[in-house]
Amino acid sequence: MVLRFFKKTAQTISKGILRFAGGIFPHATISIDDLDSIEVALYRADFGRETVEIILGEIRAAYRSERELRRQEVVAIAQHVLRRQMEGCEGRLTLGQCPEVICLIGSNGSGKTTTVAKLAHRMVSAGHSVLIGACDTFRAAAHEQMKIWAKRLSIEMVGSKTASDGSSVAYDAVSAAIARKKDVVILDTAGRLHNRSLLMEELAKMRRILGKKMAESQVHGLLIVDGNSGNNSIEQAKAFGEVFPLEGVAITKLDGTSRGGALVGIYRQLHIPIHYVGIGEGIEDLIPFSLEEYLQSLFVG
Ligand SMILES: Nc1nc2c(ncn2[C@@H]2O[C@H](COP(=O)(O)OP(=O)(O)O)[C@@H](O)[C@H]2O)c(=O)[nH]1
Ligand SMILES: [Mg+2]
């Protein structure tokens, strides 16, 4: 059931492990020469140097004691290492105060607007009342895109075609949510302004303005990372985190990337739990991240 989520990454990994290892037979033994192909596959899947070295080190140690390893044992070693590396990685938003504000932050094209829609849909389906704030005022098209989603989902949206300031829209959205007694406000934000420092200033301002209306514990920064950008996205994520406290991360587009191993590096370097993964363009294609599902689906095939 979970197997389709990380299909491309799984194909990349399985190529490396299977190629010299008796095809699909889990009991086939692999030789020490196969380690190179396993190593390449793990790098291709973007697990990052630290993690690949640990996995390889443990496989070598197992060789020394066993001399013969079956493919399923290699997989078990990799999963065991990853389980350790990813300890505590599953994040969940806890909703309780009314309203809770979830602010989606990330670079242009990472999937923020789509994820706002998917998340709003999830929350409405779970019985919460939701209001969307269209705070990407930088691009006119962003407002339209959010509006189309809100209309399709029949979810109230606060936005402005003419506002030049995302923070003022955020303020209005939160005020409306309080007045209308909504459970959750989900804010879309801009991923690009004229330059990077302006974008950071804008985010810092939004956080300050939200702080005037809400308790700190009511505001949840959710970082949106494009799964295709893999380990490269980490530096940028750190910059966002400096101006807007990040509670969790959602990693999008994992349906189409062979670099799903980057989740490990993202988690280990940012120390932010992974709340959701995006696995397609449809409204249902956002799922809570489960480490076990991830580990199972990486090594199928
Ligand atoms: N395949 C796939 N496409 C996605 C996913 N999430 C977003 N997208 C697509 O990525 C593109 C950019 O998304 P958008 O939400 O506009 O990004 P934003 O600029 O951060 O708001 C759109 O074409 C989305 O349909 C996902 O999980 N999988
Ligand atoms: Mg957008």
Side-chain angles (χ1 to χ4, degrees):
M1 192 188 96
V2 298
L3 310 182
R4 66 194 171 91
F5 299 160
F6 304 98
K7 201 166 148 200
K8 284 209 173 163
T9 306
Q11 281 166 354
T12 303
I13 295 170
S14 70
K15 258 186 218 153
I17 298 185
L18 288 178
R19 196 158 45 171
F20 305 102
I24 57 169
F25 303 109
H27 297 293
T29 58
I30 63 173
S31 78
I32 197 86
D33 300 331
D34 299 335
L35 285 187
D36 284 347
S37 96
I38 293 173
E39 185 173 11
V40 169
L42 294 175
Y43 273 115
R44 282 213 177 112
D46 210 9
F47 281 103
R49 192 190 171 116
E50 183 199 353
T51 301
V52 174
E53 282 180 2
I54 298 172
I55 294 174
L56 265 289
E58 300 216 356
I59 294 174
R60 278 196 199 95
Y63 254 119
R64 280 194 290 275
S65 56
E66 297 280 329
R67 301 220 359 246
E68 194 171 77
L69 277 187
R70 284 170 301 170
R71 182 168 69 90
Q72 63 189 21
E73 287 162 342
V74 169
V75 168
I77 290 170
Q79 287 175 326
H80 182 70
V81 170
L82 293 171
R83 209 171 272 125
R84 227 167 43 214
Q85 301 277 89
M86 296 289 279
E87 207 182 335
C89 68
E90 288 174 10
R92 297 287 177 265
L93 285 168
T94 44
L95 303 178
Q97 310 168 80
C98 285
E100 303 274 6
V101 182
I102 306 169
C103 189
L104 274 63
I105 295 161
S107 46
N108 201 37
S110 58
K112 291 178 299 300
T113 305
T114 315
T115 307
V116 168
K118 291 173 179 175
L119 192 55
H121 174 67
R122 275 196 77 85
M123 297 206 155
V124 167
S125 306
H128 301 294
S129 57
V130 176
L131 183 138
I132 289 173
C135 308
D136 180 355
T137 51
F138 183 63
R139 293 181 309 130
H143 179 265
E144 278 309 301
Q145 186 192 356
M146 197 70 269
K147 198 166 146 190
I148 290 167
W149 275 116
K151 199 167 170 201
R152 200 183 295 170
L153 298 167
S154 303
I155 294 176
E156 288 171 57
M157 181 186 111
V158 169
S160 165
K161 259 189 193 161
T162 52
S164 58
D165 183 1
S167 300
S168 67
V169 178
Y171 188 87
D172 291 347
V174 168
S175 307
I178 294 170
R180 299 177 206 171
K181 299 196 165 37
K182 298 289 181 192
D183 299 328
V184 186
V185 190
I186 307 178
L187 302 178
D188 191 20
T189 64
R192 184 182 54 193
L193 288 182
H194 301 288
N195 64 48
R196 186 182 156 111
S197 64
L198 263 181
L199 172 61
M200 295 302 160
E201 264 173 42
E202 167 70 24
L203 279 175
K205 182 173 166 195
M206 193 175 288
R207 183 67 192 84
R208 258 194 331 271
I209 283 180
L210 289 172
K212 290 193 200 300
K213 274 267 182 213
M214 328 288 298
E216 201 166 298
S217 60
Q218 276 174 289
V219 182
H220 310 274
L222 187 66
L223 177 74
I224 309 301
V225 170
D226 179 338
N228 290 297
S229 58
N231 269 305
N232 299 332
S233 52
I234 292 171
E235 282 313 307
Q236 184 193 48
K238 282 184 180 159
F240 285 122
E242 278 164 22
V243 293
F244 201 113
L246 299 169
E247 185 171 314
V249 52
I251 303 172
T252 60
K253 310 188 194 180
L254 287 173
D255 48 313
T257 181
S258 57
R259 307 174 73 184
L263 267 67
V264 180
I266 291 171
Y267 174 64
R268 287 187 61 79
Q269 293 198 46
L270 294 179
H271 300 291
I272 310 173
I274 303 169
H275 285 241
Y276 296 100
V277 286
I279 51 161
E281 293 185 272
I283 196 69
E284 307 276 349
D285 293 332
L286 183 77
I287 53 168
F289 177 67
S290 149
L291 178 59
E292 281 310 310
E293 281 184 354
Y294 176 60
L295 293 180
Q296 294 308 318
S297 56
L298 282 180
F299 294 96
V300 266

